[in-house]
Amino acid sequence: MSKKNDKLKIVTANRLREGDVVYLTDTGKWSTHLNQSRATRDAAELEAMLALAEEAVAAREIVAPYDMEVVEVDGILQPLSAREIIRAAGPTVRADYRGNEQQRDRAA
């Protein structure tokens, strides 16, 4: 019998090539959309998901996988920690600082 957690968890990491925040999906692929992630309360299933993530690390697809807590509200997964809310929302750099390298060089 597998052990159940009260908390709903998913597996996240960063894509090695671009550094994008990604989430493990039901198909074993990685998505940039949190709501496409595979969520579980089962400790054994979470361990299997983390093992899949380690295979993706070995294949040089992702780096630094770990599990994180989420809550499901009206069918939509939402992160619980401030860190994960920021990671899910994307870069926190002001839009006027996101220009290309030439724009940054001209500004300097």
Side-chain angles (χ1 to χ4, degrees):
M1 180 175 214
S2 62
K3 186 176 179 181
K4 297 273 183 186
N5 287 327
D6 291 344
K7 299 176 180 170
L8 193 58
K9 291 191 172 186
I10 64 174
V11 174
T12 184
N14 288 84
R15 196 180 315 264
L16 184 59
R17 185 171 291 250
E18 304 93 7
D20 293 341
V21 175
V22 290
Y23 306 95
L24 183 63
T25 68
D26 283 336
T27 62
K29 303 289 183 194
W30 295 91
S31 172
T32 55
H33 302 283
L34 185 142
N35 209 40
Q36 293 177 346
S37 61
R38 175 180 171 184
T40 185
R41 287 186 169 87
D42 185 277
E45 184 177 357
L46 181 61
E47 287 302 316
M49 291 163 60
L50 288 168
L52 265 177
E54 288 303 324
E55 290 176 16
V57 169
R60 299 183 181 171
E61 295 174 32
I62 60 158
V63 293
Y66 60 93
D67 62 90
M68 60 177 263
E69 293 179 14
V70 294
V71 62
E72 187 174 352
V73 178
D74 295 331
I76 298 172
L77 296 175
Q78 298 177 0
L80 288 177
S81 73
R83 178 181 191 267
E84 297 305 336
I85 291 169
I86 292 168
R87 285 183 79 236
T92 56
V93 178
R94 289 181 8 198
D96 54 335
Y97 288 143
R98 288 187 218 152
N100 63 32
E101 243 176 77
Q102 287 181 327
Q103 290 172 325
R104 284 192 298 265
D105 290 344
R106 279 184 270 175

